[in-house]
């Protein structure tokens, strides 16, 4: 008696038709029906069948047959038929077993990445053989292009395979993917009878590998001999496609079309929409608009099928606007999850560690990772500690950092907390020498993160849901590997790098097997997960070459040529062609989305899938109309807001700043440059994005400190550079200070060398300049002596404020150096010196002259502010020196003069040592305008300051300076960009 | 609005979402169910160990706790086997026409999927066995649901419901319904054995 294979057309609703058949042929009121097995290739199909059985069976109570996926059914067979089942290990343990068996373990173990890479490739070769139920044979002449080690393994392939299996056998374990071959071998040997099966219905299979055919043939034979019903159901039109036809022939089945009484629906011509998109985001946008017109009364109404799992996250982001439940069933790449990224960073730090020190940037990334911040969100010691460490790391600026260096900068009461964190994130991983230690380090890390892992409740945030799933997978599939000592027996000692590489490899390749349960709502599926399912409406995204059909995974050991040598079957894309065709026919309406971009020099190519081309070609041949459209991208260029509106709260805060803190030079300059920046920095107190200090800036800071420390011993004293420079070993001091800056750790050696030379030359040149000032010159002025009056001095003035209700306002600033130069003619000049890094920094004497007679605007708008700012030169080059000079003049008593006032002059200058030609740039260069400038500073400048203050307090908005040259160097540029648009969106909603 | 995502999960050991004793209960369920459904009242130690191995194939994530199960499961099963309860069970089951382990069914009035540990069918009666680690774990509402389900399918045969407990070993007749008893008025709770179709209604 031969077994029947029923053909069910895809457009008749495969599963419902099958359900109709089963309800007719099975007596579900009889408990014996619970020993009937219905087996599908996928878990999802089995879940849907159960759903349809419950839906269609109109009875008060009934039994259910056992509905399994093929994988679960094999496991069931294995458990029932095999007397002594083996231990089932996670798939990832295969690598360790393989490595125990290969001859080149000792040669390659120092290059763990290579080891792991090649072992995974060879394991695929073994898997191919097992699927064919064969033992690999040695390859006499492996291809020349393979590396020597790979050739070695191929020449000895059979022995390697047998060693691999023997090692497995000794450990008495197996893998899910090898259950086929285990079961097959057992059935051929022991021929047990599957008496627990009282009926077997195999539905939805397509192509069979040799070993699957053997198992099924065995079952057919045994069940037929016991007169137990066994049937096959194929989702296919008549005649069936080649692959199904081959399967039917291999199993010696009799194909029959399913009786029409069982068909769920009349053959349906699906409505196909073909839509091209410029990118993924627009695909999702279209789905959103189409879903908004939909209702969801059952889980087989709408499905979104994602050949590319990474499209899941942007899709879910949009689906937040909908209330219906969502089932997600696809393998999700865990490497994009924050926790995965963090653990990978921790492992990377171990690889890049040098003795006890870690690359500072990496250390910082780990310590400031958002997960850690989330853990210590609440106010307290840990939160403070995180901030302290962040500051220390920003300050340090060395290329490498140690625990001790950080501890040195922290107060004692932070030490135990920091040490605990350090232990979990770094120390535990430093001392790894065995799998047990990796296990413990990973468990400690996960235990530490426990507060972030909530229980899985309804409506839980997606990120935490996925994170919990991820930890679950680590618990179940990764941690056990490091506890099974048998897997690590033959490894050389001290295989630390291999352990870390192995763990990293496991984490990077870990996929979360998301499975929607309970069945409800919108179905989001991977392409393979959609097999056998029928929906009213399907959205199939990314129908592009490279996604559908997916590219063949590159295994250089399994090229078509290699498969020919090894006598393995070569499969083209027939299977994918079949799956696509059945999907197309299974739905009432299907939307095929594909990305189509124009070819260009640097554009990404979006090539529609061959299936799209085939569809178009077929519709032409059959003269069928295919609905095609291109997604109209609405180019939306949001206007940016001109200014940030000022609220009452802002005004209150501003008055408070003015009254309590006063205005520093920096605050005034910031406001003049961009009130928006002032808002971010002084009102929102946002920390600016941390600058990556350039070499130029590093050297600038060095020079600043050098001159400060050089002049410090002379504070309050007089010096003559000619004598001082001869007597002071300033070069040694320079070298000592340079060493203390640790430039070798911060920048590359060449830059450090050049920086040293430039800085030294700058200092030398500047000293030469100062020496020249003291050079006797007949008839002309020269400096007799210089007195150091102040170093890093804070100057301030509390001025009576004309803006009620503020009574007075403090203006202040810190000047680098105040000196008094005495000339040979008795002229005294009190000079403010400000050290600048950039050699191009300069004052604008012509602007200064014009500004003395300028009038202040009457309005308080953006134009007025720009006008006032322009009075101080481009980049406000005059403002700082004017402001300091103003403060100095208001604090004359701090620097008493001994000669006649009319022989005393005041000025301010920039010191730019790296400008070898003009290291000092004075504010007042023309003696003719000197009285005017001083008069301006003493009488009028304050008015300007209060005008600025009035603008700060009373302007309606915080204007945004959009000049590129200003924004490019602004540390708040990223925040400002978003803020401008976000603000607009908020306004629009209001 | 937060997403309403329904994804299948398994307990997270880290969060102590399932204790080892819960897992132990599952392994014991399997072993005892297998032995009784196959009427294997005599078995060797090695057969028991193979059985535990089979149970663990269903739960590969218990890999790290294998030693615990190989230690604990025999204790319970062998204690049960050496107690008078085992003889009682043998007496109850040896002549059954059919024994069904983990039989699954659907009860429409409550829209519940049910899975009974063991059902033994005789010509004129049915025996339902519920396995529990401890007697206090027994859920009477669940039992009532099973009774309603079986009575809907088999109104005539008598029905007896037994509890089989491991710790301490005990066999208890929980409910007995003769062939004439109408179960329609027994109250039923909303207990759900399986979460598959939670909102099926």
């Amino acid at each position: 008696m031969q077994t029947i294979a029923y053909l069910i057309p895809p457009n008749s609703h495969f599963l419902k038709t099958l359900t109709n058949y089963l309800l007719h042929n099975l007596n579900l009121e009889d408990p014996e029906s619970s020993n009937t097995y219905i087996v599908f290739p996928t878990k999802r199909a089995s879940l849907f069948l159960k759903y349809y059985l419950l839906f269609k069976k109109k009875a008060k109570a009934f039994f259910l047959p056992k509905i399994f996926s093929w994988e679960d059914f094999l496991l069931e067979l294995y458990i029932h038929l095999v007397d002594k089942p083996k231990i089932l290990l996670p798939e990832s343990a295969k690598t360790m077993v393989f490595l125990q068996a290969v001859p080149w373990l000792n040669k390659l173990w120092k290059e763990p990445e290579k080891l792991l890479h090649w072992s995974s490739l060879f394991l695929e070769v073994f898997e191919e053989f097992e699927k064919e139920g064969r033992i690999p044979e040695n390859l006499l002449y492996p291809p020349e292009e393979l590396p020597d080690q790979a050739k070695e393994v191929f020449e000895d392939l059979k022995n390697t395979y047998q060693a691999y299996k023997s090692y497995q056998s000794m450990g008495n374990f197996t893998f899910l993917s090898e259950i086929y071959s285990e079961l097959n071998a057992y059935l051929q040997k022991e021929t047990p009878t599957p008496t627990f099966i009282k009926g077997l219905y195999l539905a939805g299979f397509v192509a069979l590998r040799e070993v699957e055919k053997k198992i099924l043939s065995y079952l057919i034979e045994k069940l037929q001999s016991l007169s137990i019903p066994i049937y096959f159901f194929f989702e296919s039109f008549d005649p069936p496609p080649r692959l199904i036809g081959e399967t039917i022939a291999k199993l010696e089945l009799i194909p029959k079309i399913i009786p029409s009484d069982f068909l769920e629906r009349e053959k349906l011509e699906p409505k196909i929409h073909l839509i091209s998109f410029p990118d993924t985001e627009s695909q999702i946008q279209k789905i959103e608009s189409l879903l908004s017109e939909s209702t969801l009364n059952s889980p087989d109404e709408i499905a979104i099928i994602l050949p590319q799992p990474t499209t899941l996250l942007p899709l879910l982001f949009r689906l937040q606007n909908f209330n219906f439940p969502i089932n997600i069933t696809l393998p999700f790449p865990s490497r994009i999850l924050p926790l995965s990224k963090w653990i990978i960073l921790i492992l990377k730090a171990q690889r890049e560690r040098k003795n006890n020190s870690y690359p500072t940037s990496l250390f910082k990334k780990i310590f400031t990772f958002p997960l850690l911040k989330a853990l210590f969100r609440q106010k307290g010691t840990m939160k403070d500690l995180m901030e302290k460490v962040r500051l220390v790391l920003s300050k340090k600026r060395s290329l490498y950092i140690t625990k001790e260096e950080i501890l040195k900068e922290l107060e004692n009461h932070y030490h135990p907390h920091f040490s605990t964190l350090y232990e979990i994130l770094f120390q535990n991983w430093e001392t790894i020498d065995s799998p047990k230690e990796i296990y413990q380090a990973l468990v400690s890390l996960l235990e530490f993160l426990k507060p972030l892992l909530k229980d899985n409740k309804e409506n839980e945030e997606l990120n935490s849901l996925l994170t919990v799933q991820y930890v679950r997978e680590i618990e179940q599939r990764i941690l056990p590997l490091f506890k099974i000592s048998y897997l690590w027996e033959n490894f050389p000692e001290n295989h630390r790098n291999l352990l870390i590489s192995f763990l990293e490899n496991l984490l990077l390749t870990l996929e979360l097997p998301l499975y929607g349960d309970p069945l409800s709502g919108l179905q989001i599926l991977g392409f393979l997960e959609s097999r056998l399912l029928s929906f009213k409406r399907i959205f199939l995204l990314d129908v592009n070459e490279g996604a559908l059909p997916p590219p063949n995974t590159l295994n250089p050991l399994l090229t078509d040529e290699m498969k020919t040598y090894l006598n393995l079957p070569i499969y083209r894309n027939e299977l994918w062609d079949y799956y696509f065709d059945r999907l197309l026919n299974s739905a009432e309406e299907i939307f095929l989305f594909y990305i189509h971009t124009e070819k260009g020099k640097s554009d990404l190519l979006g090539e529609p899938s061959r299936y799209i081309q085939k569809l178009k070609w077929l519709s032409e041949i059959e003269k069928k109309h295919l609905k095609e459209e291109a997604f109209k991208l609405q180019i939306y260029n949001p206007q940016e807001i001109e200014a940030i509106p000022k609220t009452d709260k802002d005004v209150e805060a501003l008055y408070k700043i003015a009254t309590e803190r006063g205005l520093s030079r920096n605050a005034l300059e910031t406001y003049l440059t961009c009130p928006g920046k002032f808002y971010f920095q002084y009102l929102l107190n946002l920390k600016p994005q941390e600058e990556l200090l350039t070499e130029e800036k590093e050297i600038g800071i060095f020079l600043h400190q050098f001159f400060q420390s050089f002049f410090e011993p002379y504070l309050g004293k007089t010096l003559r550079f000619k004598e001082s420079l001869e007597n002071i070993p300033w070069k040694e001091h320079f070298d000592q200070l340079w060493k203390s800056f640790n430039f070798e750790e911060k920048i590359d050696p060449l830059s450090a060398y050049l920086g040293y030379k430039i800085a030294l030359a700058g200092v030398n040149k500047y000293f030469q300049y100062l020496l020249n000032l003291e050079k006797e010159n007949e008839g002309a002025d020269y400096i007799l002596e210089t007195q150091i009056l102040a170093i890093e001095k804070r100057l301030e003035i509390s001025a009576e404020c004309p803006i009620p209700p503020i009574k007075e306002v403090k203006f202040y600033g810190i000047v680098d150096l105040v000196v008094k130069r005495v000339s040979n003619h008795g002229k005294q000049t009190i000079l403010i010196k400000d050290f600048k890094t950039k050699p191009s920094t300069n004052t604008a004497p012509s602007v200064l002259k014009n500004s003395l007679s300028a009038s202040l605007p009457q309005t308080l708008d953006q134009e007025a502010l720009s006008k006032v700012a322009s009075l101080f030169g481009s980049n406000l080059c005059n403002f700082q020196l004017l402001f300091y000079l103003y403060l100095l003049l208001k604090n004359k008593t701090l620097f008493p003069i001994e000669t006649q006032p009319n022989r005393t002059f005041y000025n301010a200058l920039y010191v730019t040592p790296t400008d070898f030609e003009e290291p000092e740039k004075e504010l007042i260069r023309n003696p003719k305008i000197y009285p005017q400038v001083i008069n301006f500073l003493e009488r009028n400048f304050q008015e300007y300051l209060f005008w600025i203050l009035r603008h700060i307090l009373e302007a309606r908005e915080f204007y945004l300076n959009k000049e590129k040259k200003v924004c490019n160097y602004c540390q708040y540029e990223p925040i400002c960009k978003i803020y401008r648009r976000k603000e607009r969106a908020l306004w629009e909603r209001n | 609005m937060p997403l309403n995502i329904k994804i299948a999960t398994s307990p997270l050991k880290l969060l102590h979402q399932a204790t080892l004793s819960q897992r132990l209960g599952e392994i014991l369920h399997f072993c005892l169910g297998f032995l009784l459904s196959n009427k294997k009242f005599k078995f060797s130690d090695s057969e028991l160990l193979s059985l535990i191995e089979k149970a663990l194939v269903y739960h590969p994530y218990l890999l790290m706790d294998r030693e615990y199960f190989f230690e604990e499961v025999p204790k319970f099963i062998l204690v049960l086997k050496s107690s008078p309860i085992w003889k009682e069970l043998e007496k109850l089951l040896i002549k059954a026409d059919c024994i069904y382990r983990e039989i699954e069914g659907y009860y429409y009035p409550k829209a519940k999927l049910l899975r009974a540990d063991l059902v033994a069918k005789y010509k004129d009666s049915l025996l339902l066995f519920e396995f529990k680690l401890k007697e206090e774990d027994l859920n009477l509402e669940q039992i009532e649901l099973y009774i309603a389900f079986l009575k809907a399918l088999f109104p005539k045969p008598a029905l007896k419901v037994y509890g089989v407990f491991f710790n301490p070993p005990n066999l208890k007749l929980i409910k007995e319904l003769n062939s004439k008893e109408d179960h329609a008025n027994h109250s039923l709770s909303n207990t759900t054995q399986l979460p598959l179709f939670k909102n099926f209604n």
Side-chain angles (χ1 to χ4, degrees), chain A residues 29 31-32 34-35 47 50-51 54-55 59-64 75-76 79-80 82-85 87 89-90 316 319-320 322-323 325-328 439 446-447 450 453 455-456 458-459 462 465 468-469 471-472 475-476 480 483-484 515-520, chain B residues 1-17 30 34 46 50-51 53-58 60-61 63-64 66 98-109 113 115 121 148-150 152-154 184 194-200:
Chain A
E29 278 82 7
E32 275 300 292
S34 67
N35 289 329
L47 189 63
K50 207 172 219 174
Y51 173 81
L54 299 186
F55 188 76
K60 191 176 180 185
F62 53 91
F63 293 102
L64 283 166
L75 217 55
E76 195 70 7
I79 290 167
H80 273 92
V82 173
D83 289 329
K84 291 184 180 17
I87 304 165
L89 291 187
L316 290 177
L319 292 178
Q320 284 177 121
F322 298 93
N323 200 19
I326 298 171
N327 276 162
I328 305 172
Y439 174 88
L446 296 177
E447 286 276 354
K450 225 158 64 173
L453 305 170
D455 283 350
N456 188 19
E458 285 200 22
N459 293 339
L462 175 69
L465 201 131
V468 170
Q469 289 276 87
V471 173
R472 201 169 271 122
E475 252 189 17
Q476 294 180 9
K483 268 221 134 180
I484 304 168
Y515 188 74
D517 191 11
L519 193 59
S520 58
Chain B
M1 178 181 336
L3 288 165
N4 187 1
I5 298 181
K6 310 283 181 196
I7 294 183
T9 60
S10 58
L12 195 58
K13 201 172 169 185
L14 190 69
L15 294 180
H16 309 294
Q17 288 174 341
F30 175 85
F34 201 90
S46 68
S50 292
L51 206 53
E53 201 65 79
K54 286 183 193 252
L56 289 171
V57 172
Y58 281 121
Y61 51 85
L63 192 59
M64 288 198 286
R66 287 175 53 82
C98 301
I99 305 176
Y100 303 97
R101 178 174 68 92
E102 304 259 314
I103 189 168
E104 205 176 341
Y106 185 71
Y107 187 57
Y108 195 81
L113 275 171
R115 189 183 287 159
K121 191 164 174 270
F149 169 73
L150 288 170
L153 284 162
F154 308 105
L194 299 161
L196 283 164
F197 303 107
K198 205 164 146 180
N199 300 315
F200 187 67

Side-chain angles (χ1 to χ4, degrees), chain A residues 10 32 89 117 188 205 228 265 337 351 362 416 492 582 610 647 785 798 855 883-884 913 970:
Chain A
E32 275 300 292
L89 291 187
H117 173 69
Q188 304 307 326
F205 290 85
I228 288 169
R265 62 182 175 214
L337 292 177
R351 276 209 303 280
L362 202 45
R582 64 95 10 221
R610 63 198 69 177
T647 63
E785 63 185 32
S798 290
S855 58
F883 184 74
Y884 285 161
C970 179

Side-chain angles (χ1 to χ4, degrees), chain A residues 106-167:
Chain A
N106 283 321
K107 293 179 205 169
L108 275 186
W109 75 273
K110 280 180 185 142
E111 299 169 277
E113 286 82 19
K114 267 194 192 165
L115 204 59
L116 295 169
H117 173 69
W118 283 106
S119 53
S120 69
L121 297 179
F122 271 105
L123 284 168
E124 278 180 40
V125 174
F126 289 166
E127 200 176 318
E128 284 297 299
F129 275 100
E130 291 199 336
K131 284 179 182 170
E132 294 306 306
R134 283 169 46 204
I135 292 175
E137 291 297 332
N138 297 337
L139 204 59
L140 269 180
Y141 301 108
E144 277 306 309
E145 55 270 20
L146 289 178
D148 290 338
Q149 291 96 347
K151 279 194 223 165
E152 246 180 69
V153 177
F154 266 122
E155 283 162 4
D156 205 25
L157 194 64
K158 183 174 180 177
N159 289 336
T160 308
Y161 176 77
Q162 285 175 334
Y164 163 70
K165 292 306 271 185
S166 148
Y167 196 80

